[in-house]
Amino acid sequence: MNFSAETRAACNTAAAKRSYNLQRFLDGWALFYENPVGKLGVFLLACFGVMALISYIPPLIDPMYHPMTGVDPWISNATGPSAKHWLGTDNLGRDLFTQLLTGARIAFMVGISAAFMSIVFGTLIGMIAGYAGRVTDAALMRFADMIMVMPSLLVVLLLASLFGQLNIWIIVLLIALFRWPGVSRVIRSQTLSLKQRPFIDMARVAGASHMRIIFRHILPNVLPMACLYMTFRVTSAIIVEAALAFLGFGDPNTVSWGMMLQWVWKTGHMFQAPYWLLPPGICISLITLSFYLIGRAMEEVLDPRLRKEENFE
Amino acid sequence: MPDTPAEPMVQIQGIKKTYSEDRSLFARSAQALTAIDGVSLCIEKGEVFGLVGASGSGKTTLGRLLLKLEEIDAGQIRFQGKDISGLKGAALKDFRRRVQLIPQDPYQSLNPYMSIFDTVAEPLIIHGIRSSEARRQKAAQALDAAGLSPAADFFPSYPHQLSGGQRQRAAIARAMVLSPEFVIADEPTSMLDATISFTIFKLLADLRKTQGVTLLFITHDLAAARFLCDRIAVIYKGQIVESGLSEQVINNPGSDYTRALINAQPRFSFVNQ
Ligand SMILES: Nc1ncnc2c1ncn2[C@@H]1O[C@H](COP(=O)(O)OP(=O)(O)OP(=O)(O)O)[C@@H](O)[C@H]1O
Ligand SMILES: [Mg+2]
């Protein structure tokens, strides 16, 4: 992050000195927000955030609007949009609009928790492999390669058919377990170059333990990259969950967009009820797009080589 | 062995360090590079010992071996009479408290994500100073002694907010905060300009006087070595070519290499006319 002379001077003289991290964050954020890609991503994500938040409201208004158990007593087949049901109802008379709102909540839950877990695994394993080197490194990276080449969807399907319906948290855990290797490779290579930096030697000279070096000295330096990868992992987690649900291996007790698609398909409304098919499909595409855009914009902030060169003539 | 009252701080006997370059797949000839080739030295308690040599002569490598950042291939290093090669656990930690480094590059040797207070207080945490009040006090003392005062003003700063000279002072404060007995300063001013360098040299001389620390001063600058050191050794291609009292070595160089080094010193003379 580039600091102008004024920022630097301000930092030194201002009574309340902003921490380096906060300053870096704010500078990065300004750069991020200048980027139309980042702006669009944030805007889309905000829309989904609002959807997820207001998903709690309809069931409070009328239990009929409960996404899972609420059934309109007057409707017993799929109907199109109306004043009472803005997007229509499914074949049981459940309101599609509340299902869609709830789907946003589930997407966030699945996407963020699976991504967070895979980032935690990936960062830990990457730092350990890069720092320890030698046999540990080789073993961990071969293990990561093995998981990376495994067809994850197939394995999850296999598990689902072996153990019956999977709970949504099990699905989240499985996604996380399959998605850490990419992260750990990146973090490992960052750790390898950090390990050569003199401040790591200085920590050793001071008598710091390996734990301390990894968590106090290496972790803060790889954290920005880990955050970047988190946005990409959210995207892939949402897609995997949707695919599983659509194929009929989702958690039947949650209303995710993938589940909605599965219900359209299973009840044979695929081509009869576009008001039922399209909204969840569009939502899945847009939410993955928004995380992807945010990731791309973040990448530009983090990687100076991708940054638009304003200072060069 | 006889326990003489003035035991040397460091005794080095015939140490060797070889880097094998067989890392690359394509380098068929596994070339070995001997960075340190049979060096023997003795650094007395309380003195400033200068290690002078041109770039690539093995000065940093020797420092790293003394700090046990790397292991020697042959020979022996004794610190306060004890062989350091087998140090582990508590003994190694004790060694780490007694021996410190002032780094070459102040821009690279402070963690950019750690404030100056955290940087200076880290050795205190590592070596078990529990009370945060005591840590604040010691860190403040160390920063003051290193010429960063008022210390409290520098506590919340981050390395990028300081100038090169200030960073080097922070690094010196970190090295001195545990009152080490032996400090290695590896070209501490090679990244700084001449005036700042001079103030850093004066600071080191002061620290030696007030804290009685033994200093190994690594430099390629004979003038600095003469200013600061009691004795100097000249290193060339991993071997000591000459050593003795600094005045003596500089005024009557005994080896061609030292003479070349003296003649290579830049002289700035103003032509009058
Ligand atoms: N980790 C390493 N791997 C391989 N070779 C090394 C390594 N470290 C140092 N060397 C080699 O050892 C020799 C001595 O290097 P060293 O860094 O000790 O020199 P120096 O005297 O400190 O030089 P300078 O004044 O430039 O800092 C050099 O030829 C260098 O290439
Ligand atoms: Mg060097």
Side-chain angles (χ1 to χ4, degrees):
Chain A
M1 258 100 292
N2 276 316
F3 289 92
S4 60
E6 298 92 82
T7 339
R8 227 182 264 216
C11 281
N12 275 332
T13 53
K17 284 187 189 176
R18 284 219 189 97
S19 85
Y20 177 53
N21 298 314
L22 182 63
Q23 185 60 49
R24 266 181 89 128
F25 176 78
L26 290 178
D27 279 23
W29 174 255
L31 230 141
F32 175 90
Y33 209 70
E34 267 170 30
N35 187 342
V37 169
K39 243 184 223 170
L40 180 63
V42 169
F43 172 74
L44 281 175
L45 196 66
C47 293
F48 285 111
V50 170
M51 276 177 74
L53 283 180
I54 62 176
S55 72
Y56 291 99
I57 298 171
L60 298 178
I61 297 171
D62 190 328
M64 155 180 105
Y65 288 124
H66 190 280
M68 206 59 203
T69 57
V71 175
D72 190 326
W74 306 103
I75 298 177
S76 59
N77 59 333
T79 57
S82 63
K84 204 163 150 199
H85 302 287
W86 293 351
L87 286 178
T89 66
D90 69 2
N91 64 323
L92 300 172
R94 296 184 299 186
D95 185 68
L96 287 177
F97 185 61
T98 43
Q99 286 191 354
L100 198 71
L101 294 182
T102 313
R105 200 165 83 209
I106 303 295
F108 272 112
M109 193 187 90
V110 169
I112 290 175
S113 48
F116 183 73
M117 273 196 271
S118 67
I119 292 301
V120 170
F121 295 151
T123 306
L124 276 179
I125 293 173
M127 287 193 307
I128 291 170
Y131 181 75
R134 298 173 210 223
V135 194
T136 321
D137 183 25
L140 285 174
M141 285 302 110
R142 287 304 81 75
F143 181 51
D145 289 341
M146 257 162 54
I147 291 183
M148 198 127 81
V149 296
M150 250 189 234
S152 48
L153 201 59
L154 215 70
V155 175
V156 178
L157 290 180
L158 209 76
L159 288 175
S161 51
L162 278 178
F163 298 106
Q165 291 299 349
L166 297 176
N167 177 288
I168 188 81
W169 290 111
I170 305 269
I171 294 174
V172 164
L173 188 68
L174 286 174
I175 295 174
L177 286 178
F178 278 109
R179 284 291 183 264
W180 62 263
V183 185
S184 71
R185 282 212 154 278
V186 175
I187 299 297
R188 168 184 173 269
S189 71
Q190 276 217 315
T191 308
L192 283 178
S193 78
L194 280 168
K195 210 169 64 164
Q196 306 296 330
R197 299 264 297 272
F199 68 81
I200 300 294
D201 278 337
M202 294 306 291
R204 282 177 64 200
V205 167
S209 62
H210 297 308
M211 282 298 227
R212 185 174 187 86
I213 292 177
I214 289 179
F215 288 103
R216 282 290 283 150
H217 292 276
I218 292 178
L219 183 61
N221 284 283
V222 298
L223 218 50
M225 193 52 92
C227 286
L228 168 66
Y229 268 77
M230 171 133 177
T231 64
F232 294 133
R233 284 300 169 271
V234 172
T235 308
S236 77
I238 291 174
I239 292 175
V240 171
E241 193 276 337
L244 278 178
F246 178 69
L247 293 173
F249 295 94
D251 184 339
N253 301 314
T254 52
V255 190
S256 71
W257 293 327
M259 286 311 279
M260 288 176 73
L261 292 175
Q262 148 79 0
W263 290 324
V264 188
W265 170 258
K266 210 162 65 180
T267 57
H269 286 79
M270 202 73 176
F271 302 105
Q272 282 84 11
Y275 53 85
W276 189 358
L277 173 70
L278 290 180
I282 292 171
C283 281
I284 291 173
S285 315
L286 285 183
I287 199 169
T288 53
L289 179 72
S290 76
F291 276 108
Y292 180 76
L293 293 179
I294 290 175
R296 277 275 164 262
M298 261 170 78
E299 201 169 33
E300 261 179 49
V301 174
L302 291 182
D303 188 346
R305 281 169 304 179
L306 293 176
R307 228 179 262 169
K308 267 207 214 81
E309 308 292 350
E310 312 120 284
N311 304 333
F312 294 139
E313 46 275 33
Chain B
M1 95 189 136
D3 205 306
T4 48
E7 191 174 41
M9 188 59 90
V10 178
Q11 278 170 292
I12 303 172
Q13 270 157 24
I15 59 166
K16 285 198 171 128
K17 177 71 188 175
T18 309
Y19 292 109
S20 52
E21 303 258 335
D22 56 0
R23 273 300 175 107
S24 160
L25 196 63
F26 305 104
R28 280 271 148 258
S29 56
Q31 252 195 349
L33 192 149
T34 307
I36 295 293
D37 190 7
V39 168
S40 299
L41 279 179
C42 184
I43 300 172
E44 300 296 338
K45 214 169 189 159
E47 78 174 332
V48 179
F49 191 93
L51 185 65
V52 189
S55 187
S57 53
K59 305 183 297 291
T60 298
T61 307
L62 186 63
R64 290 175 64 82
L65 294 172
L66 285 177
L67 285 161
K68 216 170 146 50
L69 286 172
E70 276 168 65
E71 295 301 321
I72 47 178
D73 294 332
Q76 194 183 48
I77 300 176
R78 285 169 173 276
F79 174 72
Q80 297 180 337
K82 283 191 261 346
D83 187 350
I84 66 164
S85 62
L87 288 183
K88 272 200 184 69
L92 179 61
K93 204 163 171 184
D94 186 55
F95 174 75
R96 294 265 180 251
R97 195 179 62 69
R98 291 163 192 270
V99 182
Q100 280 299 320
L101 170 68
I102 295 169
Q104 176 163 16
D105 181 353
Y107 296 89
Q108 289 282 319
S109 46
L110 302 179
N111 185 342
Y113 285 93
M114 270 173 128
S115 71
I116 297 303
F117 173 71
D118 287 339
T119 302
V120 176
E122 187 182 32
L124 298 171
I125 297 173
I126 292 169
H127 293 281
I129 295 186
R130 289 280 153 72
S131 128
S132 64
E133 191 42 48
R135 284 204 298 264
R136 279 189 80 79
Q137 230 166 4
K138 286 202 176 225
Q141 268 171 16
L143 282 170
D144 273 330
L148 288 181
S149 50
D153 279 7
F154 287 93
F155 277 175
S157 308
Y158 281 79
H160 76 275
Q161 297 169 334
L162 304 185
S163 70
Q166 287 173 324
R167 275 181 232 211
Q168 195 57 296
R169 286 173 189 274
I172 292 173
R174 177 182 159 106
M176 298 306 298
V177 72
L178 284 165
S179 316
E181 288 153 39
F182 179 49
V183 173
I184 298 175
D186 184 359
E187 302 195 50
T189 62
S190 65
M191 310 295 244
L192 306 174
D193 68 43
T195 32
I196 306 291
S197 298
F198 187 66
T199 60
I200 298 280
F201 292 146
K202 278 219 296 227
L203 170 62
L204 290 177
D206 280 355
L207 287 176
R208 179 259 190 113
K209 231 177 266 158
T210 53
Q211 315 215 0
V213 62
T214 308
L215 201 62
L216 173 62
F217 181 68
I218 298 176
T219 185
H220 57 255
D221 181 356
L222 275 167
R226 176 194 225 153
F227 172 74
L228 213 56
C229 303
D230 306 314
R231 290 193 302 149
I232 60 180
V234 180
I235 186 169
Y236 175 63
K237 286 192 175 164
Q239 291 178 327
I240 302 289
V241 292
E242 180 168 7
S243 69
L245 295 175
S246 34
E247 288 299 326
Q248 195 182 326
V249 170
I250 289 167
N251 294 336
N252 303 306
S255 80
D256 293 341
Y257 178 68
T258 315
R259 230 164 283 138
L261 208 62
I262 292 169
N263 290 332
Q265 291 287 312
R267 290 203 189 84
F268 301 102
S269 47
F270 296 95
V271 183
N272 298 325
Q273 178 122 45

